[in-house]
Amino acid sequence: IMILQLNGEQVYYGTGSGHWKKGAKSIVFVHGAGFDHSIWVMPARYFARHGFNIIALDLPGHGQSSGALLTSIDAMADWVAQVVGAVADDANAQATVIGHSMGSLIAMNMAGRHKATVEQIALLGTSAPMPVTNLLLDAAKDNHHAAIDMTNTWSHSQRSIMGSSDNPGVSNIHAGERWLERAGESVLYTDLAACNAFDAAELPPVKCPALVITGGDDKMTPAKAGIAVAQMLPNAHVANLPSCGHSMLTEQPNQVLDALSGFILS
């Protein structure tokens, strides 16, 4: 774990238990709405052990990063791009950017608006646009637990809801609930509102290599929406995870890692 001071605020990020190596390629992991860097523990450690510099971020106001919540995908992408340069101590630093859900919009935005910073992108559980129902937005705005319940339930496949897990002794549905409960007041609403307002049509063309990972049972960003995103990108391919919900990093962690390693290490 590392702490960076940026613009007078604390930036907290995981390194996958690795150490920064000058000249090595970097991977930035960007979490989804209401989450933090800890969702990326497994892939962060894997790629750190394959020689990559890892920056698994807590966005401002999330996890242990300080600062005001950012209210737009543009602002989040600008911030992540700034962090990449600051961590590398190189304004021309470049990285692979991997994002889940809201993080996928940030990665896509960076690839369009900060082309020099982004080598390639991987978009997990993505959709563009990424509409959020008013029922969920209103509950999140009121900081009502119903917003957590809706987000968490809709993010999991029926298999997880029934208690099955590839990780022995772990309940995915309960773990997801605890993750979201750790977020501060207004975090989930601010993130969801930013996703809802995102307009992919305003983005400059994204030309870098891209991987889109879809879940066959994803109710939040259905597989067909992820395929549509891939069709928007001239240099993209799709990896579909059958019977997987939106919370693919916990539901099918090994399959996600296989898709990422095939894309990044090939």
Side-chain angles (χ1 to χ4, degrees), residues 7-30:
N7 302 328
E9 301 290 352
Q10 173 178 289
V11 178
Y12 192 90
Y13 64 97
T15 64
S17 300
H19 301 284
W20 190 269
K21 298 169 289 294
K22 192 169 182 61
K25 290 193 172 186
S26 300
I27 300 177
V28 178
F29 292 96
V30 189

Side-chain angles (χ1 to χ4, degrees), residues 27-167:
I27 300 177
V28 178
F29 292 96
V30 189
H31 60 77
F35 283 81
D36 58 43
H37 81 279
S38 58
I39 195 74
W40 297 108
V41 167
M42 180 180 174
R45 288 180 175 175
Y46 175 86
F47 286 108
R49 279 150 186 75
H50 280 75
F52 289 84
N53 293 325
I54 302 300
I55 308 172
L57 289 165
D58 285 349
L59 291 167
H62 297 69
Q64 297 187 56
S65 285
S66 64
L69 296 169
L70 302 176
T71 59
S72 71
I73 300 299
D74 279 6
M76 296 177 196
D78 292 347
W79 182 85
V80 175
Q82 188 177 12
V83 169
V84 171
V87 172
D89 194 23
D90 180 359
N92 298 313
Q94 195 175 48
T96 291
V97 184
I98 302 175
H100 175 247
S101 195
M102 180 182 75
S104 74
L105 300 184
I106 296 169
M108 197 186 317
N109 188 297
M110 286 181 66
R113 297 176 56 250
H114 296 278
K115 297 182 190 298
T117 303
V118 180
E119 180 179 357
Q120 56 191 354
I121 55 175
L123 312 176
L124 285 62
T126 195
S127 173
M130 193 175 283
V132 181
T133 175
N134 287 334
L135 182 67
L136 176 53
L137 280 174
D138 290 345
K141 190 173 185 178
D142 291 338
N143 290 294
H144 198 288
H145 199 278
I148 291 175
D149 293 336
M150 283 185 275
T151 300
N152 192 45
T153 302
W154 295 340
S155 290
H156 287 89
S157 66
Q158 193 61 33
R159 182 170 175 265
S160 281
I161 292 172
M162 295 298 290
S164 179
S165 173
D166 288 351
N167 300 308

Side-chain angles (χ1 to χ4, degrees), residues 126 214-218 221-228 238 240:
T126 195
T214 63
D217 287 346
D218 189 338
T221 55
K224 64 180 182 182
I227 292 169
V238 177
N240 183 58

